[in-house]
Amino acid sequence: MEGSCGLVTLQKKPVALKSISVTLSIHEFVACVSATLNYENEEKVPLEASFVFPMDEDSAVYSFEALVDGKKIVAELQDKMEAQHKYEDAISQGQEAYLLEEDSDSRDVFCCNVGNLQPGSKVELTLRYVQELPLDADGALRYVLPAILNPRYHLSGRLGDSCLDMKTPLVPLEELPYTLSMVATISSQHGIQRVHSNCPLSAIEFLADDQTSAQVSLTEGHKFDRDVELLIYYREVHSPRVSVEAGMREKKPDSLMGDPSVMVSFFPDIPEDEASVTCGEFVFLMDCSGSMRCPMNNQDGSQSRIEAAQETLILLLKSLPIGCYFNIYQFGSSYKEFFPESVKYTQQTMEEAVNRVKLMRADLGGTEILAPLQNIYRKPSIPGHPLQLFVFTDGEVTDTFSVIKEVQSNSNKHRCFSFGIGEGASTSLIKSIARMSGGTSEFITGKDRMQPKVLRSLKHSLQSAVEDISLSWNLPPGVSANLLSPEPTVIFRGQRLILYARLAGKMPAAEATGEVGLKYTLQGKRLEDKLTFSLQPKPDADLTIHRLAAKSFIQTKDLGLTQTSAMDKKDVSKISIESGVISSFTAFIAINKELKQPVQGPRAYRQIPRPVLYHKTFGSPRILCRSSIPVSHTQNLGNTCLYRSGSFSMMGTPRSSNNSRTKLKSYHKVIGGTKLMQLIDLQKANGSWDLNEDLTKILGVSLEDLLAAHPAQLVDLSGWATVLAVVWLHTHGKDQKMEWELLERKAVAWIHTQAGSTVPMLVKAANTLLKSAVDPAVFAP
């Protein structure tokens, strides 16, 4: 397998990969996927072709096979180094061989190698995987078929042998020589309401009168300019359940694949906590690398990633509770911190931070996230204020395992809430750092707004701690449950909790049942959710639950070739080989041993091209994100952009201006343009507003009229201004309530300290003045 670093153009050679076809079967909240890569050698010499492609971090890849001239060759999962050696030996001897491996530095990048594809030959390579589907806040199950693979930035001094280091041709999207098709079948006992997608779909076809099954397909012409997302809405998604799957008869008992596996899905009913949480150290780590200048999506007029991040940071700063501590870090090739240590949240520190956020630019080069993380973890803890870390990045780091290891090593003293920004963000990085620390992860792609997703995570971080979480099993004598998932350490309101276990021992008669309980303490109360289930295991030819259980175990212990301990590596390799689920230490190898004679002649090496993403700026020329340039060391390019006007060329780095007026003008052009953000910008740290000319412009009422309507006997001018601001929010900003809910809650609490029982009269006066009809109940303490 050849590999080198650098930026190359597409050679005028036929591309061996012709099409990718995906068959997707979604049952309840589990996806079973079959992806077939169709190759044909149209050249006159034998080929070795390598294709580097993205996969979701949660995908459990368990099967790889080749169909050559009607003959199926099933690959074996073996130790990765042994598989690589066998592949090299086979192709050097003129045999046809096929290798599928996970990238050495990240779980969300795969490489497929086709060795000695003869002239005129065709081959179909099919890989299969299963995956849990995450649940969105609006109840949608989200399936993502990754299509965008951005380059990854090497951490300083950590050069590796990532698949992404290989020389890869670039082509514009419209010239990409292979196509993508997808057919999805969806089923749920609860019934299917609707299916949405960010890509054009065929009309949904219901396969049953009760709408419990349906089929949709991707329309022709997908351009690989975005990941393919399906949002599936069932009539009921919050039903807890337990599924027991039978093991393989040919496997020995007391083994992962021989014993039944159980999948437990809890949906704890955590009440919303309206109490004001005033403790916590909130640290916001913001990616300011050059790729953050890219637009959030391909739509004309889209905010850039850094502009959306600025607006989000201001919302966060306005929503923090009085009494907490906070700090903000910017990172790229280097990093900056707003304050030497986290500071107490006051009007003065908030104003200083907001002003610095407005000056923030995507001008710090590459994506060196490890150094600022280490700096944050070295800081002394603030007694009584647990650390809550918010990480914002487009996720373009090569050695993700080093970053994940650092977060895991400090997981006992913080929670990490991570956000992947833009198409192609590393699911391995974003999901893993949240999972390792008991936080949550979110991805902002397409037309998604960053702000509501981030504010939802802030609400999670302010939620009263769920403590003393434990799992208990009540099973018949002789049967035990061995947990394969990590012990649950955190539960958030509105989230699903999925656990896997192996049932060991002799299974009783079909009528027997078991019980699993989730116990936890919330606000001093001991609570328990119990589920009773049948112990009669159901067969599944694909062993879906067994594969998912193995993946859960592997994700917990597998930190790549260099970061995994020897003991964990042994455990991961054992489970991987036994279950057939690929890991960092294993790879699929298939060799066509029935080839009548060795392939003759010199072999040509071909890298399957990846698409280049570009975005229109003022119609023409088109600017490409740095993130779409496949280079292994982005520091070689600095902050360069590519422009397209008939051909590709390298352009110089845009000149950075140190003029703060220029930066503020840019900020106000994009962010300050909305009245909602202008109003939020005026709010003080304690939740109140001052009555001034800026506020009157937003409210659309003259200062004289505001003063004339002021019920001075009830409240002072700040109290009156705050009531007016909250009424305006409920009248004109209700579609974005998720974004201002926390800062509004702070404002209402402040109003009650000033006006007490007179609040309803104030609301009535504000409604009259602003011609609104806001229910005074929204001001309830």
Side-chain angles (χ1 to χ4, degrees):
M1 292 175 288
E2 299 180 8
S4 62
C5 305
L7 181 67
V8 298
T9 58
L10 178 65
Q11 297 176 348
K12 296 301 181 181
K13 299 287 184 182
V15 175
L17 180 63
K18 299 303 179 184
S19 65
I20 303 171
S21 56
V22 177
T23 302
L24 169 64
S25 176
I26 296 175
H27 179 64
E28 304 300 353
F29 52 84
V30 174
C32 299
V33 187
S34 175
T36 299
L37 312 177
N38 297 287
Y39 289 85
E40 180 180 1
N41 183 3
E42 296 178 321
E43 298 190 45
K44 297 180 180 180
V45 296
L47 294 182
E48 181 187 8
S50 290
F51 181 42
V52 178
F53 58 94
M55 291 282 286
D56 191 278
E57 144 82 12
D58 293 330
S59 302
V61 179
Y62 67 89
S63 174
F64 181 55
E65 60 188 37
L67 185 64
V68 187
D69 298 325
K71 175 179 174 56
K72 183 186 293 186
I73 306 170
V74 179
E76 294 182 13
L77 187 64
Q78 301 179 359
D79 175 83
K80 180 182 279 189
M81 292 187 67
E82 291 181 12
Q84 290 172 340
H85 289 152
K86 288 181 179 180
Y87 174 82
E88 296 288 359
D89 290 344
I91 63 174
S92 67
Q93 295 170 19
Q95 293 179 300
E96 293 177 341
Y98 312 94
L99 181 71
L100 178 70
E101 58 184 318
E102 189 177 275
D103 185 55
S104 59
D105 288 333
S106 186
R107 275 192 290 258
D108 61 349
V109 178
F110 277 66
C111 184
C112 178
N113 288 280
V114 178
N116 282 330
L117 185 61
Q118 299 184 68
S121 292
K122 296 181 181 180
V123 62
E124 294 180 5
L125 299 181
T126 300
L127 63 95
R128 294 182 176 87
Y129 66 89
V130 291
Q131 177 187 349
E132 293 172 16
L133 299 185
L135 184 64
D136 282 3
D138 65 351
L141 289 165
R142 181 183 294 262
Y143 169 75
V144 178
L145 177 65
I148 302 301
L149 178 56
N150 294 330
R152 306 289 171 85
Y153 183 92
H154 272 302
L155 301 174
S156 296
R158 295 176 183 265
L159 300 184
D161 58 350
S162 169
C163 298
L164 291 170
D165 291 340
M166 292 190 293
K167 187 180 295 184
T168 303
L170 288 175
V171 292
L173 294 172
E174 63 269 19
E175 297 176 18
L176 200 66
Y178 47 88
T179 60
L180 173 67
S181 61
M182 185 183 76
V183 177
T185 304
I186 305 162
S187 62
S188 171
Q189 64 179 343
H190 302 295
I192 302 162
Q193 281 189 332
R194 60 190 186 277
V195 178
H196 291 170
S197 178
N198 65 331
C199 299
L201 296 178
S202 64
I204 186 170
E205 178 186 356
F206 287 104
L207 306 178
D209 292 338
D210 57 1
Q211 298 189 349
T212 54
S213 62
Q215 190 173 85
V216 294
S217 59
L218 190 66
T219 58
E220 292 184 6
H222 181 72
K223 295 298 185 183
F224 288 86
D225 59 340
R226 71 196 75 175
D227 296 337
V228 179
E229 296 182 357
L230 292 183
L231 298 177
I232 300 109
Y233 294 85
Y234 296 146
R235 292 197 178 96
E236 174 61 57
V237 293
H238 298 161
S239 299
R241 59 182 298 171
V242 180
S243 299
V244 181
E245 181 180 88
M248 301 172 69
R249 291 182 178 179
E250 60 270 28
K251 296 291 184 180
K252 295 179 180 179
D254 200 29
S255 67
L256 172 62
M257 303 306 286
D259 287 337
S261 284
V262 59
M263 180 187 202
V264 182
S265 174
F266 282 110
F267 198 90
D269 185 17
I270 307 293
E272 185 166 7
D273 183 13
E274 297 289 345
S276 177
V277 178
T278 60
C279 64
E281 178 189 7
F282 298 88
V283 176
F284 306 107
L285 179 58
M286 178 58 67
D287 189 341
C288 290
S289 61
S291 53
M292 289 290 286
R293 289 198 299 268
C294 296
M296 287 295 295
N297 57 59
N298 290 325
Q299 302 296 315
D300 289 337
S302 169
Q303 277 186 317
S304 71
R305 296 173 185 176
I306 194 65
E307 289 163 350
Q310 285 176 293
E311 184 174 313
T312 301
L313 275 177
I314 289 178
L315 282 168
L316 285 167
L317 287 170
K318 297 291 183 175
S319 301
L320 290 177
I322 290 288
C324 73
Y325 287 76
F326 78 100
N327 204 350
I328 297 175
Y329 282 68
Q330 299 171 252
F331 74 93
S333 298
S334 59
Y335 67 89
K336 307 173 184 177
E337 49 190 318
F338 278 22
F339 306 100
E341 307 283 345
S342 291
V343 295
K344 195 163 188 177
Y345 181 72
T346 64
Q347 180 63 26
Q348 180 181 347
T349 57
M350 184 202 73
E351 279 186 1
E352 181 178 347
V354 167
N355 289 334
R356 293 187 66 173
V357 167
K358 292 176 182 178
L359 300 176
M360 190 179 285
R361 299 188 70 182
D363 57 1
L364 293 183
T367 313
E368 285 277 358
I369 191 173
L370 187 60
L373 275 175
Q374 292 171 333
N375 180 272
I376 290 168
Y377 294 143
R378 282 196 298 267
K379 302 283 188 184
S381 299
I382 302 174
H385 293 271
L387 175 61
Q388 313 270 18
L389 177 62
F390 288 69
V391 177
F392 303 82
T393 179
D394 52 20
E396 297 172 8
V397 180
T398 297
D399 190 4
T400 61
F401 287 122
S402 295
V403 179
I404 296 166
K405 180 72 171 180
E406 186 68 26
V407 173
Q408 183 189 46
S409 300
N410 293 276
S411 60
N412 62 333
K413 65 182 189 182
H414 85 300
R415 287 191 300 189
C416 178
F417 300 86
S418 55
F419 306 91
I421 303 171
E423 304 286 352
S426 170
T427 59
S428 185
L429 176 69
I430 301 303
K431 290 185 176 182
S432 295
I433 61 176
R435 183 175 58 250
M436 289 294 186
S437 61
T440 60
S441 59
E442 296 274 8
F443 291 87
I444 300 101
T445 60
K447 296 182 181 179
D448 290 345
R449 280 179 59 80
M450 185 187 304
Q451 297 82 345
K453 293 191 173 187
V454 174
L455 269 295
R456 182 163 60 246
S457 293
L458 180 61
K459 288 184 70 175
H460 287 322
S461 73
L462 294 171
Q463 178 182 300
S464 295
V466 177
E467 301 171 322
D468 303 325
I469 303 171
S470 64
L471 204 64
S472 62
W473 298 85
N474 184 7
L475 301 170
V479 180
S480 62
N482 299 320
L483 199 62
L484 292 168
S485 305
E487 290 277 357
T489 59
V490 62
I491 304 173
F492 293 112
R493 182 178 183 272
Q495 289 199 322
R496 186 183 57 202
L497 179 64
I498 296 178
L499 302 165
Y500 297 94
R502 177 172 63 88
L503 295 181
K506 184 174 177 58
M507 290 297 107
E511 296 78 16
T513 60
E515 185 180 78
V516 58
L518 179 70
K519 297 179 181 179
Y520 51 95
T521 302
L522 178 64
Q523 297 177 336
K525 296 180 181 179
R526 191 64 175 164
L527 303 173
E528 182 175 13
D529 291 1
K530 290 184 179 181
L531 294 175
T532 300
F533 59 96
S534 170
L535 282 170
Q536 182 65 26
K538 295 182 179 180
D540 178 357
D542 293 327
L543 295 163
T544 302
I545 293 178
H546 283 75
R547 315 282 193 197
L548 291 172
K551 180 66 176 181
S552 179
F553 179 88
I554 290 170
Q555 283 180 315
T556 304
K557 293 180 176 288
D558 185 354
L559 291 177
L561 298 177
T562 62
Q563 300 296 325
T564 309
S565 68
M567 182 177 295
D568 284 346
K569 178 181 177 180
K570 182 179 178 181
D571 292 342
V572 168
S573 296
K574 179 178 180 296
I575 291 293
S576 177
I577 296 294
E578 183 181 349
S579 66
V581 175
I582 201 168
S583 71
S584 296
F585 313 109
T586 52
F588 283 102
I589 174 72
I591 300 173
N592 187 2
K593 297 179 180 179
E594 297 185 11
L595 196 64
K596 293 180 180 179
Q597 61 180 12
V599 176
Q600 303 296 319
R603 183 177 69 252
Y605 178 79
R606 298 284 183 260
Q607 263 288 327
I608 304 300
R610 296 210 304 270
V612 174
L613 296 182
Y614 57 85
H615 303 275
K616 294 180 181 179
T617 55
F618 309 109
S620 181
R622 297 168 180 175
I623 184 171
L624 282 92
C625 292
R626 182 183 62 82
S627 61
S628 60
I629 304 170
V631 294
S632 64
H633 307 291
T634 52
Q635 61 266 38
N636 295 338
L637 291 178
N639 293 327
T640 54
C641 292
L642 289 179
Y643 289 84
R644 184 173 187 269
S645 183
S647 62
F648 293 99
S649 61
M650 296 299 296
M651 303 296 290
T653 304
R655 184 175 301 172
S656 296
S657 171
N658 292 321
N659 189 319
S660 61
R661 288 185 181 179
T662 302
K663 296 179 183 179
L664 278 172
K665 183 178 179 181
S666 173
Y667 167 83
H668 284 297
K669 177 182 176 182
V670 179
I671 298 176
T674 68
K675 283 191 174 183
L676 175 61
M677 280 307 301
Q678 291 172 6
L679 180 67
I680 291 170
D681 202 22
L682 295 176
Q683 190 187 31
K684 299 169 71 174
N686 63 6
S688 68
W689 275 265
D690 286 335
L691 190 59
N692 53 37
E693 290 285 355
D694 289 334
L695 181 63
T696 64
K697 291 176 183 177
I698 297 167
L699 299 179
V701 182
S702 69
L703 182 60
E704 292 76 14
D705 288 343
L706 287 175
L707 292 173
H710 171 218
Q713 73 281 10
L714 301 180
V715 73
D716 63 15
L717 287 176
S718 289
W720 176 230
T722 304
V723 171
L724 290 169
V726 173
V727 167
W728 189 95
L729 283 173
H730 282 277
T731 304
H732 300 282
K734 54 187 176 183
D735 290 341
Q736 293 171 245
K737 183 178 179 181
M738 184 65 206
E739 301 176 24
W740 49 259
E741 191 174 14
L742 288 175
L743 63 87
E744 181 258 6
R745 187 183 300 177
K746 188 163 59 170
V748 168
W750 182 86
I751 289 170
H752 279 276
T753 65
Q754 304 298 308
S757 61
T758 64
V759 169
M761 289 181 281
L762 289 169
V763 176
K764 183 178 180 180
N767 276 331
T768 301
L769 179 65
L770 299 179
K771 298 180 175 59
S772 302
V774 174
D775 188 345
V778 304
F779 285 79

